[in-house]
Amino acid sequence: MRISRRAFAAAAVLATVLPLSACSSDSDSGSSDASGKVEGKITFQTWNLQANFKDYFNGVIADFQKKYPGTEVKWVDRPAEGYADKISADAAGGTLPDVVNVSPDLVAPLAKAGLALDLDKAAADYRKEYLPGAWQSHQIPGMQGTYAFPWYLNTGPLFYNKRLFSDAGLDAAKPPRTYDEVFADGLAMARKSNGKIATFANVPTIEDFGRYGVESMNKSGDGFAFNDAKGVELLTKYKELYDAKALDPQALTATPESAGHKFLTESVSMNPGSALDLANFKKQAPTLYKNIGITDQITSTGKANMYVMGVMVNSKTKQKPAAVAFAHFVTDATRQMEFAKKVAIFPSTAGSLDDPYFTKEDGTDETRVRIAAAKSLKTAVNYTPVLFSEQMKTALRNEVAKALQGKQSPKEALDNAVKACDQLLKQS
């Protein structure tokens, strides 16, 4: 099941395979009018959900059909592998389902091709039901409109090692919350430990630039802008961490798994995670577990990063009222709360995160993490641009590595990264 990360490499296929003939303007992309009687047969496609949630979705479909007599929903589920290729083939062949489970990076090329219904026009009354940041996550730079209902969300708090903070003479009860604070604490910890304890085991990603307050794209949405003065400032700070060994030397090639291992062995003081990690710490590293602190994501904007899934309506559907009604039904507050209690995700509907399920402690690790994550999601945003592909992530990472190694300045690195990403954007 696709839960914790929204982007994957095959998504780039969708942008490149859609033929020019599929592109259309607002004038020929089908009417945005979704009024009328909710009736007829529609097809609903999900992304690797049937194996674990067959009964749940069959129940949702049955409830919808009961609410709207005369409707029929056919559910199809596609495996995670090749999902973007399947959507691409359907889009090119005119067989795209009426309602489709998408992530923001998948909906972007469909919206540009005129195949995603603009919900700001077709379903504007529903907008207030969702968290603002979640609704905005399926908006496309350079285009007017919102092209999918926000569905389930995910994020993660930050774990930190209280003992390592105390050993460095830092207040373990007051972990850093902004980048300025984490840079100061990281340098202090590296000095105190003679470079043996790093703060992070990861290089900065596009999400870090967003959390630092950098605008990732220009206003027109046709180019990237993370090489501005603020972006250069962030990378310069990371270079200082790297030089002081406050950033793990292996961060240049680290994976989430290897970074997690560094935290597990107490050579790194901070790492993002989940309740599953807490259970692992308790079993494999009881000393670490006793000293675990849980805090919010590091951000200088006051808003955490969210990952989001969505439900898109095919603008070419012949049953627009039914398709819009069903997409809303699947993502309304009632259905999202039911789903959130079956799997570790969070609802995107306004007010749902105030439910006791997300606010009331019961002493368990799972609940501790769930409450911390839910709190941050109320104001979270998706800092990864919907047009930022896996190839672009690799380009940024490569240039960041060169800057940290001193092979080029932070400014040169980000200029080169932006140039490479802009070229990839033009090719899509």
Side-chain angles (χ1 to χ4, degrees):
M1 180 181 179
R2 191 65 170 172
I3 289 292
S4 63
R5 293 290 184 268
R6 67 171 192 87
F8 65 122
V13 175
L14 190 59
T16 58
V17 174
L18 278 177
L20 292 176
S21 59
C23 296
S24 58
S25 64
D26 290 341
S27 62
D28 63 0
S29 62
S31 170
S32 61
D33 184 9
S35 61
K37 186 176 181 180
V38 177
E39 60 183 358
K41 183 177 181 178
I42 59 173
T43 299
F44 170 49
Q45 178 173 292
T46 53
W47 182 355
N48 196 31
L49 295 173
Q50 193 171 53
N52 295 319
F53 305 103
K54 183 176 181 179
D55 291 343
Y56 168 75
F57 283 102
N58 282 336
V60 170
I61 290 169
D63 289 344
F64 178 79
Q65 292 174 162
K66 182 179 180 180
K67 181 177 181 179
Y68 296 103
T71 61
E72 181 181 349
V73 179
K74 178 185 177 181
W75 176 30
V76 295
D77 188 67
R78 304 297 182 191
E81 184 176 357
Y83 188 73
D85 303 84
K86 176 59 179 173
I87 290 181
S88 176
D90 285 341
T95 57
L96 194 67
D98 304 280
V99 180
V100 187
N101 175 194
V102 292
S103 54
D105 52 339
L106 292 182
V107 82
L110 294 170
K112 288 187 172 184
L115 296 175
L117 188 66
D118 180 0
L119 300 180
D120 284 341
K121 294 179 179 178
D125 290 345
Y126 295 136
R127 179 171 184 162
K128 61 182 180 296
E129 297 181 19
Y130 301 88
L131 294 170
W135 185 268
Q136 293 165 10
S137 66
H138 289 91
Q139 295 175 351
I140 315 301
M143 296 181 66
Q144 296 293 321
T146 300
Y147 295 92
F149 284 102
W151 195 8
Y152 56 82
L153 309 176
N154 218 327
T155 191
L158 197 63
F159 293 137
Y160 69 99
N161 188 318
K162 292 180 179 179
R163 181 184 66 80
L164 295 182
F165 272 77
S166 295
D167 288 350
L170 302 171
D171 188 348
K174 296 180 179 179
R177 292 179 175 272
T178 68
Y179 280 92
D180 286 345
E181 290 174 354
V182 81
F183 292 144
D185 286 359
L187 292 173
M189 194 172 295
R191 285 195 300 269
K192 186 70 174 182
S193 66
N194 293 318
K196 293 181 179 180
I197 303 299
T199 301
F200 286 127
N202 303 97
V203 298
T205 63
I206 194 67
E207 292 92 343
D208 287 299
F209 284 92
R211 284 190 292 246
Y212 194 65
V214 179
E215 292 294 334
S216 298
M217 299 197 75
N218 60 28
K219 298 295 183 182
S220 58
D222 58 2
F224 293 95
F226 52 82
N227 60 335
D228 65 4
K230 202 165 186 64
V232 173
E233 180 180 270
L234 176 66
L235 186 51
T236 300
K237 293 289 187 181
Y238 264 90
K239 169 65 172 166
E240 292 174 7
L241 289 183
Y242 186 78
D243 289 345
K245 296 185 179 181
L247 186 65
D248 188 83
Q250 296 180 24
L252 303 182
T253 57
T255 64
E257 291 75 20
S258 64
H261 181 72
K262 290 281 186 177
F263 184 73
L264 184 72
T265 57
E266 299 191 70
S267 58
V268 169
S269 64
M270 304 189 81
N271 198 61
S274 69
L276 296 177
D277 293 309
L278 275 179
N280 186 45
F281 299 154
K282 189 174 185 179
K283 180 179 180 180
Q284 296 190 26
T287 301
L288 169 65
Y289 179 78
K290 292 178 182 178
N291 289 292
I292 283 291
I294 302 176
T295 187
D296 296 333
Q297 293 179 22
I298 301 299
T299 168
S300 295
T301 65
K303 295 181 179 181
N305 182 62
M306 71 164 65
Y307 299 97
V308 58
M309 275 290 178
V311 176
M312 185 200 86
V313 175
N314 181 353
S315 67
K316 306 295 186 181
T317 178
K318 295 180 180 179
Q319 305 293 346
K320 199 160 285 152
V324 171
F326 183 73
H328 172 252
F329 190 82
V330 170
T331 62
D332 70 11
T334 299
R335 256 55 58 175
Q336 289 212 46
M337 276 301 301
E338 291 174 354
F339 197 34
K341 291 182 179 180
K342 293 180 178 296
V343 64
I345 51 90
F346 300 86
S348 63
T349 40
S352 295
L353 296 176
D354 293 322
D355 187 276
Y357 183 71
F358 297 111
T359 59
K360 188 175 181 180
E361 289 277 7
D362 62 6
T364 65
D365 291 337
E366 182 179 10
T367 300
R368 287 175 67 198
V369 176
R370 183 170 66 237
I371 289 174
K375 182 181 178 181
S376 69
L377 277 171
K378 290 182 180 181
T379 58
V381 297
N382 180 10
Y383 286 117
T384 303
V386 298
L387 303 177
F388 204 72
S389 68
E390 290 296 321
Q391 288 175 294
M392 294 173 188
K393 291 179 183 179
T394 298
L396 174 59
R397 185 182 184 90
N398 289 342
E399 298 302 329
V400 164
K402 293 175 185 177
L404 296 180
Q405 293 171 319
K407 296 180 179 179
Q408 58 187 2
S409 71
K411 174 61 175 171
E412 290 170 333
L414 294 184
D415 284 346
N416 290 335
V418 164
K419 182 179 179 180
C421 291
D422 283 347
Q423 289 177 339
L424 290 167
L425 184 61
K426 291 177 181 178
Q427 296 169 11
S428 65

